Amino acid sequence: MNTREIISRFDQAQSDKEVWNAVYRAVFRMTMPNRDSFYMDENIPNTWENVRLLTTVGVAGADVFATRGQRICSDDGEKFVQLSLANWYDSSSEINDMLGFHQDLINYMLRPNMGAIYECWADLVAGTAVYYKSFNRITNKFSIVPIPIKDVALTKAFDGSTDGYYRKLKMRREEIPSAFPELEGQDTIAGIPITKDNAREVVELKECTIFNYEDNKWHYVVILDQEKIVERLSDMCDMGSLFWTRRPGTVYGIGVGLKALPELNQLNALKYYGTFGLMFRAAPMWLASQEAMLDYDRLEMKPMEIIEVPSTSRDNPSLAPLQVGDDPNVVQWNMTQMEMNIKEIMTSDTIPNQTNQKLSATEIAYRANRLDVNTNNIQMVALQFMSDCVVWLLNACKSIPGFYPDDFNVQEYINAIEISLASSVARNASDIQAQATMIDMFNAAVPDGSLTRAALNIPVYANSVKKLLKIDAPIIYDADTIQQNLNQIAQAAQNAAIAKERAVLAREVAAEQAKQQITGNVQ
């Protein structure tokens, strides 16, 4: 791709992002005002005052959502993924041992990134999370670096995957050679020498990570002043992106915060004006009768304001309160209703109770079931997140000596790896119960167990139970080894039976010979 084509794609992606910038800014304003300085020139967090946020239900919902996502990625902070090999892959005991080593090492590398994982899930409240993957080949340290969604624009491939990441970088001209290894030691960037006069000049770089369909490689390009200053190719993309849900055809995701935004805005407005209503009731305005014309310039709507009005009768009271505002009980009920709706949309762990009364079993079951349904979507996104990191790490670790055997087909091995979330491997109690029920029904039909022995694939069953119970220790052999051991046990039992029959036959023959000898002696 030439520079003109890349710049054109960059500008188009940035233009398309502008619509979503306003939407995401509104979500951050209502759910995470102190976390991200959205569209501010300086990196100063927004405050509660300048966004006029009067409700914390959106902030609490965002915290719960991000924490749930982080917990599903790893519920103990130690184990993230469990790796296994597909059935079609011809593996040996050595390869299985290597897979176990890779699983332990990858989980070890993921542990320091719990905070970054939380930040990515917080971005998913708006709908889209973007992150950068980094691997230090000297320290063997893996890092996930979240990128604020306001700083990056995306493009999407026809299959729905992200095929382009575009962002602007600002740095001093003297910092450019140290920021990119390809430029280290150079004193001329984009044809312009670095001098004392321009060394501290802040310039804007266009950073693009684009998948090229012609050579099927990722191109990392940095452009300064319409000229490429960095270009590198890779089989794997160092950037990653996650989406909560997406409307077909859209590039960016729609998160729980975006779905709850209309009700969040309404709740905030109701809190704002409801507060004034309570203030007016606690300190109402007053009408004071006087012999004068009404001064409209003095008519101000604020608590404890005394408004002078002309007297129309001697019977009029000299001072009367002016009732302003709705019934606070109705306002409070409406706010409680909206808070519960927002919590439900943002997958809060709390069970909504709009009436503050005891819930029926049906209502509790409905709300608990909704949390389970939302958990399925969280598990899907978490699995995508962890799978992207695992596959990237397996490719990045090629540079570690001894990580793979010599002359080993690494790509086929990576393609055969099946990735599961460690937090959800043993969560499906219904599968465990279903297998136990099946075996009980087999034994009930044929009490001697012959049906179970004939119908059950014992090696596969043993490994299935190990997987469901999340047993990591190598106490269960693979299916082929179990079958070999069963064959050996059967062969040994058969040999023992044959030996027993031969022993019985030998005793019978010996007894018959002894009998014949005794009979002959008697004769």
Side-chain angles (χ1 to χ4, degrees), residues 435 437-446 448-462 483 486:
Q435 291 191 18
T437 302
M438 177 187 67
I439 295 176
D440 289 342
M441 293 178 67
F442 285 174
N443 292 333
V446 183
D448 63 0
S450 59
L451 175 59
T452 303
R453 292 191 297 272
L456 188 65
N457 189 331
I458 297 178
V460 175
Y461 172 73
Q483 189 60 56
L486 289 175

Side-chain angles (χ1 to χ4, degrees), residues 9 12 54 77 108 139-140 181 290 292 351 400 431 466 485:
R9 294 185 62 174
Q12 184 62 48
L54 302 178
Y108 173 79
T139 61
N140 292 337
Q290 67 172 13
I351 298 178
I400 301 178
D431 285 351
K466 174 187 176 182
N485 293 339

